[in-house]
Amino acid sequence: MNESINIFKISGLLTLLAFTLMAYIPGVAQEPQRPWMNTSLSPGVRADLLIKQMTLEQKIQLLHESSAVYKRGGWQYVPAALGGDGYVPGIAPLGIPDLQLVGAGLGVTNSGRGYKGRSTALPSSLAETASWDPKVAAEFGTVIGKETRDEGFNVSLGGGIDLARDPRGGRNFEYHGEDPILAGTIIASELRAIQAQHVVATIKHYALNDQEAGRTQWLSSILHVIQPSGRFLVSANLDVRSMRETDLLAFEIGIKESGVGAVMCAYNRVNGVYSCQNSYLLNDVLKKDWDFKGWVMSDWGATHSTVKAALSGLDQEFYASRYFSWRLKKAVNENLVPMSRIDNMDHRILRTLFAVGAIDHPPVVKPIDARADALVAQHVEEQGIVLLKNTGNQLPLNPSSVHSIAVVGSHADVGVLSGGGSSQVDPVGGNAVSLPLTSTPHIYAPKVWDPSSPLKAVQAMAPNAVVKYNVGTDFASAAKLAAASDIAIVFANQWSTEGADLPNLDLSGDENQLIEQVAAVNPHTIVVLETGDPVLMPWLDRVSAVLESWYPGQRGGEAIANILFGVVDPSGKLPITFPRSESQLPRPRLPMPPPGGGYFDINYFEGLKVGYKWYEANKIQPLFPFGYGLSYTNFSFSGLQITPTLTDGSQSIQVSFDLKNDGARDGAEVAQVYLGFPAVVGEPPKRLVGWAKLDLPPGKTRRVTVTIDPKSVAHPLSFWNFSVDHWDIANGVYTVYVGDSSADIHLTGTIEVRHPRS
Ligand code: BGC
């Protein structure tokens, strides 16, 4: 997407000139009707050429949704709309394709033309992020990009990057955890992979849509319009420095490192101003500071004005065309919005379509590669499962010494749970469990279990063992089966969804009791969690092993079985802290809209101290810290070397150390590097600045080097200097920590920063 003048550009201009001259020579074919289709021109030049040909009506047409028309007393989908989440008709005579948009945070949703009407359900983004592996994120993005394209769509509405400031956040499973550098790095890799398939990717929800802001009960969700969920009412308030160093930093990395084409602004207000008409966020930060060249689309129904939104940086309106259709045209005619702004909106859309190849390589509808993509889903899950507890090496299970296994609960006989809302994929094979709609406390019903049976996968791993399932609703019968089995594996879940935060961090229903009862009779009880957020574990001391499998996706059962039996070494690390109780959170009580509805605030007073930074600053011990996760082998760290030890803050810092696999099995470790700032800077105790994930055979040692580049978009050595409104580096002594979680630090060293100017 580099637009600097280059040889291709010059040759493109010459070609254009030649074509133009030819058009005036009698007898020479008047070929170049569409000079913007010349692929040697830069995307920006191509967009400009197009815009010159467009009427005001055509320009406005690209700026809003048009998937339905009001006919004979009702809304009807226009036939050309594929049935995704959004449709903007193109301009055929100019070669501008329709924009067909589809939700695709965790796989393609609404897959009208997918594989038998369905797509591959990927594991949740928390699983993807728990891999700490950008290569895994690229695999994830490639599946999304390919299936989006194979189903005929050219704009994918994935993925989400709001930070998990509250572990009860209803959409945390669609987001990438609590650390901006980890989240930004993972999503950038995913978005690059989506766009490599010539599909525009979207990063959302900009900004601070960290919570759904309360809960919508089943009844009030039917009355959605009368009593809208908190996300439409809340103002997420945060000081500028904290914003820049946390939530906005995640976006900054995600956007700059991927060249993502679209940014979706959020439902909530930020510091009192709606995100989609927030000039600070859209104009000052996104477009000016970060030089974002793509377009800003509103979340579905998040536009609140015409002139203000247009002048504040919004480029395209969804879900209705309330403000950016005739009202926008009128505003242009009345000189309230300059034509240059309209051109800029269109330029951003068209330039992006050229830049990702959506015009040069339009989607061709064909069946998705369901088998191959399911295997990718499985691999992502295997890399993202986190082993939280493993007393006495309970795991991995040895198929030849286990004779009987009880599998209990959570429909583990047929499937694995997924999260709800607009990211919900209709999985290949369909919903494995059918529940009455009323059992789902939100409008985006029903709950979906992806059709991958843990029971069958466990049986396949231990063909000679007797593997029996108990549904887990009658504790006595579950305990009876568990008591009669060598091993009991209890599947327990927590369902979360867009539109509602979790009221607390409990498991569903009375699953805590179920686990207690099973653990009371079987000392080899293993708990497999399928959750969208952290959960509390009152039974932790009484079980021997715990696996966090998040929402495991299309082949989650197989992935879980591979980890349980050690076919794959668990190497996932928590991207989000698990608290001991809600009382440890910055806001022990879930923020809710006031009784009877109405606008309200969530004040993110914890500021920079998001997630582990909060716990460390307040010396609170969580249940499981950020970055934590066990393996079936052991690793040791030694030989820390930091070069240079004194810097002016401009050169890269190399943090090197030896990582050794001390155990008897192959395994993978994520070595994490954190930085502690001089006290005067006022940062939390430490912040993640880099990591390396390595596979090591038993007994093997490898020298690892993690680079801290002060010039990288992650700003690892900087703080946001509010008084001068830019990133700054402070003098002083910094502490470098190397560990296998934020709380388990094995090596510590220092580096001094001294600016020549001081
Ligand atoms: C969600 C977006 C989604 C859109 C279209 C909205 O409710 O907040 O994330 O992309 O719907 O499905």
Side-chain angles (χ1 to χ4, degrees):
M1 292 211 191
N2 182 357
E3 285 205 57
S4 59
I5 293 284
N6 58 30
I7 188 78
F8 296 106
K9 224 177 191 181
I10 293 168
S11 74
L13 286 171
L14 290 177
T15 317
L16 181 61
L17 189 65
F19 278 143
T20 315
L21 285 175
M22 274 155 57
Y24 290 99
I25 303 172
V28 173
Q30 307 218 339
E31 241 271 76
Q33 297 304 317
R34 295 176 176 175
W36 50 85
M37 292 309 290
N38 180 347
T39 54
S40 63
L41 298 175
S42 78
V45 168
R46 295 175 74 182
D48 284 340
L49 287 169
L50 243 179
I51 288 167
K52 282 201 191 97
Q53 303 299 317
M54 290 165 71
T55 63
L56 177 58
E57 282 71 21
Q58 289 173 328
K59 289 175 185 175
I60 299 280
Q61 182 179 319
L62 291 189
L63 306 180
H64 62 87
E65 157 80 324
S66 299
S67 61
V69 284
Y70 198 74
K71 247 195 217 161
R72 283 177 244 113
W75 287 98
Q76 291 176 13
Y77 270 99
V78 299
L82 273 186
D85 291 84
Y87 168 74
V88 177
I91 299 157
L94 298 180
I96 301 175
D98 294 349
L99 295 191
Q100 303 277 6
L101 301 91
V102 73
L106 308 174
V108 180
T109 65
N110 304 322
S111 39
R113 296 192 189 168
Y115 178 78
K116 298 186 184 144
R118 302 181 188 280
S119 311
T120 301
L122 289 158
S124 78
S125 306
L126 282 180
E128 175 199 13
T129 313
S131 74
W132 291 56
D133 188 346
K135 290 195 294 301
V136 167
E139 292 173 25
F140 188 100
T142 302
V143 168
I144 291 176
K146 271 175 28 195
E147 294 195 6
T148 300
R149 195 180 152 74
D150 291 349
E151 298 184 25
F153 300 98
N154 52 10
V155 181
S156 123
L157 302 175
I161 186 80
D162 301 273
L163 288 190
R165 277 182 178 266
D166 194 307
R168 293 160 299 196
R171 301 187 82 172
N172 283 342
F173 73 95
E174 295 182 55
Y175 297 159
H176 292 77
E178 67 191 27
D179 183 85
I181 300 189
L182 177 62
T185 306
I186 294 294
I187 205 168
S189 181
E190 176 191 323
L191 298 174
R192 268 198 308 271
I194 296 175
Q195 296 203 152
Q197 301 300 319
H198 307 304
V199 161
V200 178
T202 307
I203 193 167
K204 65 188 185 185
H205 310 89
Y206 187 68
L208 281 162
N209 190 190
D210 299 346
Q211 282 169 257
E212 293 303 85
R215 199 149 43 113
T216 315
Q217 285 303 340
W218 172 236
L219 188 62
S220 64
S221 74
I222 298 174
L223 310 171
H224 207 50
V225 186
I226 304 167
Q227 195 183 354
S229 96
R231 61 183 178 163
F232 304 108
L233 302 169
V234 72
S235 175
N237 303 329
L238 181 62
D239 67 279
V240 168
R241 170 174 175 187
S242 300
M243 218 189 302
R244 288 288 197 149
E245 291 189 32
T246 61
D247 290 70
L248 296 193
L249 178 59
F251 275 98
E252 183 175 1
I253 299 168
I255 290 167
K256 288 186 178 169
E257 295 275 273
S258 70
V260 64
V263 169
M264 185 188 292
C265 49
Y267 284 127
N268 55 285
R269 288 169 295 143
V270 172
N271 293 335
V273 183
Y274 280 114
S275 302
C276 293
Q277 55 188 44
N278 193 314
S279 186
Y280 172 72
L281 289 178
L282 303 181
N283 283 334
D284 299 351
V285 177
L286 178 66
K287 292 182 175 176
K288 194 162 143 269
D289 287 6
W290 299 346
D291 194 23
F292 173 64
K293 291 192 161 51
W295 86 91
V296 178
M297 68 170 78
S298 73
D299 200 342
W300 271 223
T303 311
H304 295 275
S305 60
T306 301
V307 176
K308 186 165 168 46
L311 298 183
S312 300
L314 180 67
D315 300 308
Q316 195 181 43
E317 180 192 15
F318 287 95
Y319 154 66
S321 42
R322 199 165 153 202
Y323 296 105
F324 271 31
S325 52
W326 64 269
R327 283 193 176 90
L328 186 56
K329 188 176 165 201
K330 185 163 171 277
V332 174
N333 288 333
E334 289 169 1
N335 289 326
L336 297 172
V337 174
M339 185 63 97
S340 58
R341 175 70 187 108
I342 302 294
D343 286 349
N344 179 259
M345 295 172 177
D346 283 293
H347 177 95
R348 286 173 173 279
I349 295 169
L350 295 169
R351 182 197 170 281
T352 302
L353 294 176
F354 284 125
V356 305
I359 292 183
D360 300 326
H361 309 277
V364 179
V365 176
K366 61 177 182 359
I368 63 167
D369 193 347
R371 277 172 74 91
D373 294 352
L375 291 176
V376 174
Q378 177 178 339
H379 183 241
V380 173
E381 173 65 4
E382 287 167 354
Q383 296 301 305
I385 289 176
V386 183
L387 177 63
L388 294 173
K389 176 171 180 178
N390 194 18
T391 307
N393 293 330
Q394 172 69 70
L395 294 175
L397 298 173
N398 180 347
S400 47
S401 60
V402 175
H403 304 294
S404 53
I405 302 176
V407 172
V408 179
S410 196
H411 301 287
D413 53 336
V414 289
V416 288
L417 185 61
S418 67
S422 64
S423 67
Q424 178 77 70
V425 173
D426 293 332
V428 174
N431 187 355
V433 177
S434 79
L435 287 176
L437 206 60
T438 45
S439 63
T440 300
H442 188 261
I443 197 164
Y444 296 108
K447 287 185 187 176
V448 174
W449 266 260
D450 295 327
S452 164
S453 159
L455 176 70
K456 284 194 191 141
V458 165
Q459 179 73 80
M461 282 288 160
N464 299 322
V466 176
V467 182
K468 286 197 179 145
Y469 177 69
N470 183 285
V471 67
T473 42
D474 172 350
F475 301 157
S477 103
K480 195 167 161 217
L481 175 65
S485 310
D486 292 346
I487 301 284
I489 310 176
V490 186
F491 286 77
N493 71 57
Q494 168 212 55
W495 184 72
S496 52
T497 178
E498 175 179 343
D501 292 325
L502 295 165
N504 54 49
L505 295 175
D506 289 342
L507 286 170
S508 294
D510 37 24
E511 284 180 340
N512 280 336
Q513 258 175 290
L514 171 67
I515 297 169
E516 297 275 6
Q517 303 268 336
V518 169
V521 296
N522 190 321
H524 304 290
T525 297
I526 298 157
V527 176
V528 178
L529 299 168
E530 293 170 14
T531 74
D533 282 287
V535 282
L536 307 181
M537 302 179 206
W539 34 260
L540 186 62
D541 291 343
R542 289 177 289 289
V543 303
S544 49
V546 182
L547 282 189
E548 174 57 80
S549 72
W550 314 105
Y551 294 140
Q554 193 73 55
R555 279 178 64 87
E558 288 77 2
I560 291 167
N562 274 349
I563 296 280
L564 288 172
F565 286 88
V567 176
V568 176
D569 181 56
S571 60
K573 300 277 185 174
L574 293 180
I576 183 168
T577 308
F578 278 45
R580 278 175 199 279
S581 74
E582 289 93 6
S583 66
Q584 294 190 322
L585 303 175
R587 281 158 294 281
R589 280 172 60 90
L590 182 71
M592 295 284 280
Y599 292 109
F600 73 114
D601 296 280
I602 298 183
N603 296 313
Y604 287 124
F605 67 89
E606 73 279 14
L608 295 168
K609 299 186 226 85
V610 185
Y612 62 97
K613 297 167 185 166
W614 165 261
Y615 293 82
E616 291 182 359
N618 291 292
K619 302 198 167 37
I620 303 170
Q621 272 212 340
L623 190 60
F624 295 110
F626 173 83
Y628 173 84
L630 301 171
S631 147
Y632 293 148
T633 183
N634 296 312
F635 294 92
S636 61
F637 295 74
S638 61
L640 176 65
Q641 200 184 11
I642 302 166
T643 43
T645 49
L646 174 66
T647 172
D648 63 5
S650 66
Q651 67 263 61
S652 284
I653 300 160
Q654 315 293 334
V655 178
S656 305
F657 49 92
D658 288 330
L659 181 69
K660 179 170 185 212
N661 181 346
D662 287 329
R665 307 171 56 95
D666 280 358
E669 176 63 295
V670 179
Q672 302 158 37
V673 177
Y674 295 84
L675 196 63
F677 284 61
V680 62
V681 190
E683 286 290 303
K686 60 181 175 318
R687 103 190 181 196
L688 180 73
V689 288
W691 66 91
K693 185 168 185 175
L694 277 95
D695 278 305
L696 279 182
K700 182 92 183 157
T701 302
R702 194 160 318 144
R703 190 86 183 145
V704 182
T705 298
V706 172
T707 300
I708 307 173
D709 177 3
K711 295 196 200 83
S712 90
V713 298
H715 307 286
L717 209 59
S718 308
F719 69 100
W720 184 260
N721 189 335
F722 183 69
S723 53
V724 286
D725 221 23
H726 61 65
W727 291 98
D728 221 342
I729 296 182
N731 285 342
V733 176
Y734 291 67
T735 309
V736 174
Y737 304 95
V738 181
D740 54 7
S741 88
S742 57
D744 299 294
I745 298 302
H746 302 294
L747 306 170
T748 306
T750 56
I751 171 148
E752 189 179 349
V753 176
R754 217 184 297 144
H755 281 300
R757 63 173 148 81
S758 49

